[in-house]
Amino acid sequence: MSRGRNMLKLLNSMIRFRGMRFMRYINWWHLGKTSLLVGFLFFFCEVLIYYLVLLQCTWPQIQTNTKHSTVKAMLLADVHLLGPRFGHWFDKLRREWQMYRTFQTAMTLHNPQVVFILGDIFDEGHQCNEVQFNNYVKRFHSVFSVPENTKLHVVIGNHDIGFHYGISPQLKDRFERSFNTSSVELLTINNNIFVLVNSMALHGDNCFLCKPAEDKLKDISEMLRCAKNGGAGNNCKKYKSLPPYSPPIFLQHFPLYRPSDSHCKEPDSAPSQIINEPFREFWDCLARGSSNKVLDYLEPRAVFTGHTHHGCFTIHREHIPEWTLPSFSWRNKNDPSFVLAVFAPDAFLVSKCYMPKESTVIHLYMIGGFIILMWIYFSRNRYFKGTFYKEK
């Protein structure tokens, strides 16, 4: 027993001795420089690259006679914050950091007056219980927090409350209450009119969701006609005040009806293997009849939509442009983007801002990691002459 104890003491002494020698002969200067290189690579790929890329995007400069009635708006779509069922923890961490870093960098560099998010804020919003949904809302406000001088408005998407036939009053009310929104909203910002609509409420079947939405759209249509005519008409007397008229900007989650994305020529349009696939009405886009009804009611000067996860530019009725925005999440798109738009009552311009490609970030990590490893390898003889030195 005593011999065993002596052997253990001897072994512990040797371990402590060799550990002290190891700590003594590490070249801390070289280790520090290596750590700085690794830290800089991480900082560049996770923070700095967002500033370098987003600095290339600027607000469009419009020519207008109403300079004091302009509004600078940032528009994005399909955030898809991952949920508790299908979202892996690392995927959540990575995607939310990427979106947080892009959004907050854009807030710092561009400082929009208003932000519109065009639906599908959540990936599993229609499948969550109350506790999970409340956590979802907290995560959203953590990632997409805005400064006090910026307004944030949200459009309802199918992943937020479900497709038309899967929506319950409870799901609808929960989302609208949490985000202070409704199925049809009219906003007037600096004399610019915006109409925000829940796409799933445009089925036209008089359901609990659709009937109130269509009635509200009819009322907005009548109010806009009264504003356009200067309040002339018997029905206009019921409106206590009318906004200065300008054709509205229409915002919703689904694209207006189109047969497919085959005409889309944007750099971030759908890949070739799916770009010619036919669209299904009420699933991939709004139905033809519902689209015509919206265009008849509102006569918008511009339309902004999401849902397809790919960019597209479409002209309706030969003069109404529609921008379909791609997903803001790298989980759905290697090259996400968002829009900076300047609106005035008599003019508007749109600028698309591309975010860092995920493939670019991965390649930077690979190249940077390889350079650091090569630097360690070729400088080892100078700085590391073995982990332990022989005693003279």
Side-chain angles (χ1 to χ4, degrees):
M1 291 291 291
S2 59
R3 178 177 296 181
R5 291 194 188 96
N6 292 335
M7 290 293 292
L8 285 173
K9 290 180 180 179
L10 179 61
L11 182 60
N12 288 333
S13 299
M14 292 175 64
I15 291 173
R16 286 197 299 270
F17 177 67
R18 294 180 67 85
M20 291 172 64
R21 294 178 69 192
F22 175 77
M23 297 298 290
R24 178 182 176 185
Y25 292 113
I26 283 181
N27 191 303
W28 294 104
W29 174 247
H30 186 77
L31 184 63
K33 287 202 293 186
T34 304
S35 300
L36 284 175
L37 288 174
V38 172
F40 177 77
L41 176 63
F42 183 81
F43 178 76
F44 183 87
C45 292
E46 300 301 331
V47 178
L48 190 58
I49 191 172
Y50 294 93
Y51 286 91
L52 296 177
V53 172
L54 295 186
L55 273 171
Q56 300 174 41
C57 186
T58 58
W59 290 104
Q61 302 297 315
I62 64 172
Q63 300 295 325
T64 174
N65 296 320
T66 56
K67 293 183 179 180
H68 297 293
S69 295
T70 59
V71 57
K72 293 182 175 180
M74 176 180 177
L75 301 100
L76 57 121
D78 293 275
V79 169
H80 283 279
L81 290 176
L82 294 176
R85 295 187 180 186
F86 306 112
H88 188 272
W89 69 267
F90 182 77
D91 204 10
K92 286 182 187 177
L93 179 67
R94 181 66 182 155
R95 303 312 174 190
E96 289 183 24
W97 169 256
Q98 290 170 322
M99 291 189 287
Y100 169 82
R101 193 64 268 156
T102 300
F103 188 79
Q104 296 305 327
T105 302
M107 290 296 102
T108 301
L109 295 178
H110 303 304
N111 191 28
Q113 294 168 271
V114 60
V115 175
F116 295 105
I117 303 183
L118 306 182
D120 279 2
I121 293 170
F122 306 132
D123 197 53
E124 302 173 23
H126 57 307
Q127 298 173 309
C128 290
N129 59 37
E130 291 299 318
V131 174
Q132 292 168 338
F133 186 82
N134 291 335
N135 289 333
Y136 239 154
V137 173
K138 290 178 182 177
R139 283 167 52 202
F140 170 81
H141 287 298
S142 175
V143 174
F144 295 97
S145 61
V146 296
E148 291 184 1
N149 62 336
T150 300
K151 301 297 183 182
L152 176 65
H153 297 281
V154 169
V155 176
I156 303 173
N158 58 284
H159 274 266
D160 300 320
I161 62 173
F163 279 104
H164 176 73
Y165 294 110
I167 299 173
S168 67
Q170 182 267 334
L171 289 174
K172 168 185 171 292
D173 293 342
R174 182 176 69 176
F175 188 90
E176 291 181 352
R177 184 174 60 252
S178 298
F179 289 95
N180 191 29
T181 187
S182 61
S183 290
V184 179
E185 282 193 280
L186 175 70
L187 304 175
T188 302
I189 307 174
N190 291 355
N191 295 330
N192 294 274
I193 300 172
F194 299 85
V195 179
L196 287 62
V197 176
N198 175 359
S199 302
M200 288 74 68
L202 296 178
H203 269 235
D205 59 358
N206 289 324
C207 71
F208 80 95
L209 189 65
C210 299
K211 183 64 166 61
E214 185 162 347
D215 289 344
K216 183 70 178 291
L217 275 177
K218 289 179 180 177
D219 185 64
I220 290 175
S221 176
E222 189 172 348
M223 188 193 69
L224 291 175
R225 180 185 59 79
C226 289
K228 185 177 182 179
N229 296 331
N234 294 330
N235 291 333
C236 298
K237 295 179 181 179
K238 65 180 179 180
Y239 300 107
K240 294 181 180 180
S241 62
L242 293 172
Y245 178 77
S246 64
I249 296 97
F250 178 58
L251 310 174
Q252 70 167 357
H253 181 59
F254 283 4
L256 294 177
Y257 174 79
R258 59 177 183 254
S260 70
D261 271 351
S262 58
H263 66 285
C264 305
K265 305 300 180 184
E266 300 287 291
D268 53 2
S269 60
S272 57
Q273 59 267 29
I274 65 170
I275 198 169
N276 294 314
E277 290 184 1
F279 275 12
R280 301 164 296 170
E281 296 183 25
F282 292 128
W283 291 93
D284 302 311
C285 64
L286 210 60
R288 188 196 299 264
S290 298
S291 298
N292 287 330
K293 190 175 291 187
V294 166
L295 295 177
D296 290 339
Y297 282 156
L298 301 179
E299 299 179 355
R301 53 179 166 144
V303 178
F304 294 89
T305 59
H307 186 58
T308 67
H309 295 180
H310 303 293
C312 187
F313 179 75
T314 308
I315 296 291
H316 300 279
R317 299 184 176 181
E318 299 183 353
H319 69 282
I320 303 174
E322 176 187 357
W323 284 268
T324 299
L325 307 186
S327 174
F328 193 72
S329 172
W330 280 261
R331 193 171 191 256
N332 302 319
K333 193 79 175 167
N334 178 52
D335 53 346
S337 62
F338 60 91
V339 158
L340 296 180
V342 180
F343 299 102
D346 60 345
F348 71 92
L349 279 178
V350 173
S351 176
K352 181 171 281 190
C353 299
Y354 290 93
M355 292 136 70
K357 293 183 178 180
E358 186 165 48
S359 57
T360 300
V361 174
I362 293 172
H363 290 154
L364 285 172
Y365 269 122
M366 294 173 65
I367 294 170
F370 178 77
I371 292 173
I372 292 172
L373 288 175
M374 289 298 98
W375 179 77
I376 293 173
Y377 177 79
F378 286 110
S379 60
R380 75 189 191 285
N381 291 329
R382 180 178 176 183
Y383 293 103
F384 293 110
K385 295 182 180 178
T387 304
F388 303 108
Y389 283 73
K390 293 182 180 180
E391 297 288 337
K392 293 184 178 180

